[in-house]
Amino acid sequence: MKLAILGTGMIVHDLMNTIHDLDLERVDIFSTQSSYDQAIELVREYHLNDVYVDYDQLLEGECDTVYIALPNFLHYQFAKKALLHNKNLIIEKPITSTYEELKELEELADNKHLIILEAVTVHAMPAYLSLKEKIKTLGDIKILSLNYSQYSSRYDAFKQGKILPAFDYHKSGGALYDLNIYNVHFTVGLFGKPNKVFYYPNIERNIDTSGILILEYSHFKAVLVGAKDCQAPLMNTIQGDKGHIVIRMPVSRMRDYQITYNKEKTEDFSFDNKAHGMSYEFKEFIRIIDTKDYQKAHDLFEISKTVSEVLNQARKTGGIRFDADK
């Protein structure tokens, strides 16, 4: 894979922690003129190939895959242009601001036999893959409860009137799209599309700073909490009529979990704590794109589509509108 990375933000710096463990033939960086010095420093420190400030020039270059790590509201326009230049895509979550945008990208990618993947660590984490098998031992699922509450330093600025992208409805921000999306991916990856979606947000200046998402399935309810304006000890549980699972960390970074069976034994499952979480997903992305594993790409994209649809429905029930909404 010849990868072009769009952006120089925190998530890109996270990727750099594992960049040399990945089988990449070439890595270029695209940046704005204002962040050019940061991009140059990344190239120097991690021995990357080149920096571009002209997107058209980058797309005419050697890359075959574009990784979009830009603010949420920019994903669609940069993705569409990359597809028109016959590039495969890896897009940071949320993959697009709206379900309609995602459907348009899907049609374009299908016509060109290109691959679109959403960068959400959970689906490639060994602990999650193990849990997907072990969850069958819980019997009938009754309640799923997930909480990703992480007080944001940007919220302090928000309260003082400085609105950064994470809290800007013009830029598709908010707690649902920033944190609770991990919980949605976790849930949809296990159980598929819910029957009903209800979102109860705490809204300030037209954006959700925290909220509770209720997903109704045929035989159980899922309660997903995401907060950027407060925090609490993280406790995630899956409760069945034969036992329950406890995860004591954000599901996007899960490394272990515990199963307790009714009136019986408790089992602990722990996985590699040394590898960076992004290494698992990017190794799988590289494998999928380099081998043209369209079936696996399709399976992951179907999850992304369902998640996007859930997020759209959640915003509608919660009264949250983005500029991207039609």
Side-chain angles (χ1 to χ4, degrees):
M1 177 186 287
K2 297 177 182 178
L3 183 67
I5 299 173
L6 310 190
T8 57
M10 184 170 59
I11 196 68
V12 173
H13 286 265
D14 282 347
L15 179 60
M16 290 301 114
N17 291 320
T18 191
I19 197 73
H20 293 302
D21 295 328
L22 305 177
D23 186 16
L24 293 168
E25 185 177 343
R26 180 182 179 90
V27 181
D28 295 313
I29 296 281
F30 169 78
S31 77
T32 60
Q33 195 66 54
S34 61
S35 60
Y36 181 76
D37 289 343
Q38 295 180 51
I40 287 292
E41 185 57 33
L42 286 173
V43 168
R44 289 173 178 167
E45 182 175 355
Y46 296 99
H47 308 290
L48 309 182
N49 293 96
D50 209 346
V51 175
Y52 291 83
V53 293
D54 185 312
Y55 192 39
D56 289 322
Q57 185 179 5
L58 178 142
L59 293 175
E60 291 166 3
E62 296 186 42
C63 71
D64 54 60
T65 302
V66 173
Y67 169 46
I68 300 177
L70 300 170
N72 299 348
F73 75 108
L74 296 174
H75 290 184
Y76 164 75
Q77 66 187 75
F78 278 84
K80 183 176 181 179
K81 195 164 191 176
L83 290 173
L84 291 171
H85 281 77
N86 299 306
K87 309 298 183 182
N88 296 301
L89 289 173
I90 301 168
I91 309 175
E92 264 304 322
K93 61 80 190 171
I95 192 166
T96 53
S97 298
T98 71
Y99 182 66
E100 290 73 22
E101 288 179 341
L102 185 56
K103 289 290 290 179
E104 184 180 341
L105 295 182
E106 177 187 30
E107 182 178 357
L108 185 56
D110 286 348
N111 289 338
K112 290 177 168 286
H113 303 290
L114 296 168
I115 290 172
I116 305 176
L117 298 165
E118 185 175 14
V120 183
T121 53
V122 61
H123 298 295
M125 296 295 283
Y128 182 69
L129 297 176
S130 168
L131 182 145
K132 290 182 76 169
E133 293 301 316
K134 288 295 183 179
I135 199 172
K136 300 171 185 176
T137 66
L138 298 185
D140 293 334
I141 303 302
K142 299 298 182 180
I143 295 175
L144 172 70
S145 177
L146 306 178
N147 187 334
Y148 196 171
S149 296
Q150 181 175 281
Y151 190 86
S152 172
S153 60
R154 295 178 178 88
Y155 183 62
D156 291 328
F158 180 76
K159 289 189 293 184
Q160 296 170 8
K162 184 179 181 181
I163 301 177
L164 298 168
F167 288 102
D168 191 343
Y169 71 93
H170 294 298
K171 298 181 178 179
S172 308
L176 176 65
Y177 273 52
D178 189 47
L179 294 180
N180 221 350
I181 185 174
Y182 292 114
N183 295 332
V184 179
H185 265 279
F186 179 94
T187 305
V188 169
L190 291 174
F191 304 109
K193 185 178 179 179
N195 297 326
K196 295 181 180 179
V197 176
F198 303 95
Y199 189 43
Y200 303 94
N202 292 315
I203 295 181
E204 300 179 44
R205 298 187 186 129
N206 300 311
I207 199 67
D208 57 320
T209 56
S210 58
I212 299 171
L213 180 63
I214 308 293
L215 305 181
E216 289 194 6
Y217 286 86
S218 298
H219 302 293
F220 74 94
K221 306 293 188 291
V223 180
L224 314 183
V225 176
K228 295 174 68 64
D229 57 6
C230 59
Q231 61 187 28
L234 299 182
M235 176 69 73
N236 304 297
T237 58
I238 308 171
Q239 299 167 231
D241 61 3
K242 293 183 179 179
H244 67 270
I245 289 175
V246 175
I247 307 164
R248 294 182 173 87
M249 63 193 70
V251 295
S252 61
R253 301 199 297 269
M254 65 177 295
R255 304 282 185 166
D256 51 60
Y257 63 94
Q258 184 181 77
I259 301 179
T260 300
Y261 298 101
N262 296 351
K263 301 178 182 179
E264 294 180 16
K265 61 182 179 179
T266 294
E267 296 180 343
D268 292 296
F269 298 86
S270 184
F271 297 83
D272 181 14
N273 287 311
K274 295 180 181 179
H276 192 282
M278 294 183 76
S279 68
Y280 298 111
E281 62 172 346
F282 267 84
K283 285 178 181 179
E284 179 65 354
F285 292 161
I286 292 167
R287 185 197 68 77
I288 290 170
I289 291 173
D290 283 354
T291 64
K292 293 182 170 56
D293 187 347
Y294 292 112
Q295 184 58 56
K296 182 63 174 181
H298 173 268
D299 293 344
L300 288 173
F301 191 77
E302 286 300 305
I303 293 173
S304 292
K305 281 170 60 181
T306 300
V307 169
S308 181
E309 195 171 3
V310 167
L311 295 177
N312 265 28
Q313 293 173 4
R315 287 196 297 108
K316 288 178 182 178
T317 65
I320 301 165
R321 285 192 58 82
F322 291 159
D323 286 0
D325 291 322
K326 302 297 184 183

